[in-house]
Amino acid sequence: MDDGFLMEVCVDSVESAVNAERGGAGRIELCAGLVEGGTTPSMGLLQVVKQCVRVPVFVMIRPRGGDFLYSDREVEVMKADIRLAKLHGADGLVFGALTEDGRIDTELCTALLAVCRPLPVTFHRAFDMVHDPVVALETLISLGFERVLTSGCDSSALEGLSLIKRLAEQVSAPWGGITERNLQRILEGSTASEFHCSARSARDSGMKFRNPNVTMGASFSAPEYSIKVADVAKVRTLNAIAKNIL
């Protein structure tokens, strides 16, 4: 945080990781399945990203999309993924877990934190689904999480700014819908010294032959012939805006 702030960029490919670092990101959150809000990446992706970038790489631990209420078998998958991520060079881990009534699952979080240590751990945007964010944040601090990603329990960090301002005095980092058009308002309206973004642009596929009648996922999934990657220019712009403010 030599500039007084830290920009973390969420990526799901080697290209995006390299672009994020080139643009000035101070940390990378490595995921798969960004269409679902991010799931656990492959260890192959982690290995290659670690070979290509020098900034810290935090690895998402989320066995599936959907809610954050996990079965015993899903918990075993999460523990195994944490151990593998540590083995393959993760610099930190990112996860979140809730109870059925919208509270932090303290028992599960404590167990997962024990597997993660000594690496730092971020509680991800499961936080935005809690029943009482103030109580939830106090719980996360007591458990030992270093930071919390949040959009202020709203559709984006801009809409949730008033709550972020209250929470950012402790351990939170704004996330969600952050762009060059609203970053200044978000940072000026909070005391956060970190922010989290994806800064992606669509890039057309190199495929010349295309079959328009087939999709590889559900009807709402991303189109096969358009690839979203972290945009160096966008990352640089966000970096410059933050430098001006913080």
Side-chain angles (χ1 to χ4, degrees):
M1 295 179 57
D2 294 339
D3 297 308
F5 70 93
L6 191 146
M7 172 172 55
E8 179 179 80
V9 178
C10 181
V11 307
D12 61 355
S13 68
V14 179
E15 181 181 1
S16 287
V18 171
N19 287 352
E21 183 178 54
R22 285 177 57 201
R27 185 170 62 232
I28 286 167
E29 181 188 274
L30 186 64
C31 305
L34 286 179
V35 172
E36 294 184 285
T39 54
T40 306
S42 76
M43 294 303 105
L45 177 59
L46 173 58
Q47 277 188 298
V48 177
V49 166
K50 286 291 295 182
Q51 293 166 7
C52 294
V53 302
R54 291 178 294 176
V55 297
V57 178
F58 279 34
V59 176
M60 171 72 78
I61 302 297
R62 187 180 176 215
R64 56 165 173 76
D67 64 33
F68 305 100
L69 182 66
Y70 296 114
S71 69
D72 291 343
R73 287 182 176 175
E74 287 171 333
V75 170
E76 290 308 307
V77 172
M78 295 170 81
K79 289 179 178 178
D81 282 333
I82 290 168
R83 294 186 186 102
L84 287 169
K86 291 171 69 176
L87 182 65
H88 292 292
D91 298 291
L93 287 309
V94 183
F95 70 81
L98 305 179
T99 62
E100 63 183 12
D101 58 353
R103 303 178 195 280
I104 304 298
D105 189 333
T106 55
E107 183 178 351
L108 175 51
C109 286
T110 298
L112 294 177
L113 282 166
V115 183
C116 290
R117 296 308 186 199
L119 297 182
V121 186
T122 300
F123 194 92
H124 61 43
R125 285 190 68 210
F127 182 84
D128 288 326
M129 302 301 186
V130 298
H131 176 70
D132 186 329
V134 174
V135 171
L137 184 57
E138 291 172 353
T139 300
L140 294 177
I141 293 171
S142 70
L143 290 174
F145 284 90
E146 279 77 13
R147 64 189 55 80
V148 177
L149 296 180
T150 179
S151 63
C153 300
D154 214 320
S155 57
S156 75
L158 189 59
E159 279 73 23
L161 186 56
S162 60
L163 180 59
I164 289 173
K165 185 174 182 179
R166 292 169 59 197
L167 301 177
E169 296 171 356
Q170 300 181 65
V171 295
S172 62
W175 190 96
I178 290 178
T179 69
E180 56 270 30
R181 294 184 298 277
N182 62 26
L183 178 60
Q184 181 171 344
R185 289 173 62 190
I186 291 168
L187 293 180
E188 287 178 343
S190 73
T191 58
S193 58
E194 298 189 13
F195 66 95
H196 179 99
C197 59
S198 59
R200 296 193 298 165
S201 291
R203 175 169 58 76
D204 194 45
S205 165
M207 288 293 297
K208 292 182 179 177
F209 172 76
R210 304 185 179 192
N211 183 349
N213 301 315
V214 178
T215 59
M216 294 296 106
S219 58
F220 59 82
S221 64
E224 275 69 46
Y225 301 112
S226 178
I227 303 166
K228 285 197 171 183
V229 296
D231 186 319
V232 175
K234 283 189 175 183
V235 177
R236 284 178 177 159
T237 299
L238 292 167
N239 199 30
I241 292 169
K243 281 183 179 178
N244 266 343
I245 297 166
L246 299 173

